[in-house]
Amino acid sequence: MKRKRISEINAGSMADIAFLLLIFFLVTTTLEVDKGLFSKIAQDNPERLDTHKRNVFDISINRNNEIALGNTIITIDEIPQLAQDFIDNGAGKDAKGNSCDWCNGKKLPTSSDHPAKAIITIEADREASYETYVSVLDKVHNAYNSLRNKLALKLYRKTYTELEAIYKNTRDKAIYNQIEVLKSKYPMLIGNIEMESTLAKK
């Protein structure tokens, strides 16, 4: 009795199927992507910014997550008031020769001339934690928002935060114009710098 010969399975198309599956997984798989923060140093022409030392508020974070202003160690809770004093100093004029008649600072000759010239830099060591950097940046934003809130109450009897909320719900052009006026009075000029690690090489 002859044995029935079993036909071989045609595997010629397996490579094509594998290739199609590979393409499918490459297209549909989501990969973890590092996230960061974007900020710009100027809302005006950078060439017009006066980077004289008195117009730069230099915050640094070392590898131990200690925060310093110049050579002085400060706490994170001190940043908002110190930044406000610097931005609102109003000791001189902007690039167009205009004085800051809305500034309430002490007009110290050693501090910023004008809010349009007041640059805040955040310099972080590569080994500093991301959480510390974000916390410092948040405090700087709080300083700007606080100054805008005070001026908004004086000009429009509403805080800057309230105006933003109203505009978000109504898209009112008049409210938008008021917000832009406040931003122009206190432009957010923040720069980020990465420091080389201060850890000594062994």
Side-chain angles (χ1 to χ4, degrees):
M1 185 175 178
K2 289 184 178 181
R3 292 185 178 180
K4 190 174 180 181
R5 189 175 179 181
I6 301 174
S7 59
E8 294 180 0
I9 298 173
N10 184 5
S13 63
M14 290 297 290
D16 294 334
I17 295 171
F19 184 68
L20 289 172
L21 287 172
L22 178 62
I23 292 175
F24 172 77
F25 285 116
L26 285 173
V27 170
T28 58
T29 303
T30 57
L31 301 175
E32 187 76 19
V33 178
D34 290 337
K35 294 181 179 180
L37 295 173
F38 173 78
S39 65
K40 57 184 179 179
I41 195 170
Q43 296 174 350
D44 201 350
N45 185 350
E47 294 179 358
R48 294 172 60 186
L49 290 174
D50 184 351
T51 54
H52 191 281
K53 187 176 180 180
R54 66 175 177 274
N55 288 319
V56 180
F57 187 84
D58 190 14
I59 302 171
S60 59
I61 307 169
N62 65 21
R63 64 189 175 110
N64 298 319
N65 294 309
E66 294 174 323
I67 303 163
L69 182 61
N71 297 320
T72 306
I73 298 295
I74 60 172
T75 65
I76 195 165
D77 292 327
E78 292 179 90
I79 293 174
Q81 189 58 56
L82 290 171
Q84 285 183 62
D85 293 343
F86 168 75
I87 298 163
D88 204 37
N89 185 54
K93 298 180 179 181
D94 65 9
K96 297 178 181 178
N98 299 316
S99 299
C100 183
D101 55 9
W102 60 92
C103 289
N104 297 303
K106 297 179 179 179
K107 302 188 185 320
L108 300 174
T110 55
S111 191
S112 74
D113 292 327
H114 194 280
K117 290 184 176 181
I119 303 170
I120 295 181
T121 63
I122 304 174
E123 196 173 13
D125 190 281
R126 289 182 180 180
E127 295 184 20
S129 73
Y130 187 70
E131 290 76 13
T132 302
Y133 170 80
V134 171
S135 297
V136 169
L137 185 60
D138 185 56
K139 295 295 185 182
V140 172
H141 284 178
N142 288 346
Y144 278 104
N145 285 334
S146 180
L147 290 171
R148 290 173 178 178
N149 281 335
K150 291 175 185 177
L151 184 59
L153 282 172
K154 182 178 179 180
L155 297 178
Y156 310 120
R157 297 187 179 180
K158 287 185 177 63
T159 66
Y160 174 76
T161 306
E162 289 172 337
L163 291 172
E164 282 194 317
I166 293 169
Y167 177 71
K168 185 177 180 181
N169 293 326
T170 65
R171 298 295 173 182
D172 187 305
K173 189 174 181 180
I175 297 295
Y176 172 81
N177 290 336
Q178 291 175 353
I179 291 171
E180 289 302 303
V181 167
L182 295 167
K183 285 182 177 180
S184 69
K185 298 291 188 183
Y186 291 112
M188 195 174 288
L189 307 177
I190 304 173
N192 303 313
I193 304 169
E194 183 182 57
M195 293 192 302
E196 293 292 334
S197 175
T198 55
L199 182 63
K201 292 182 180 180
K202 294 181 180 180

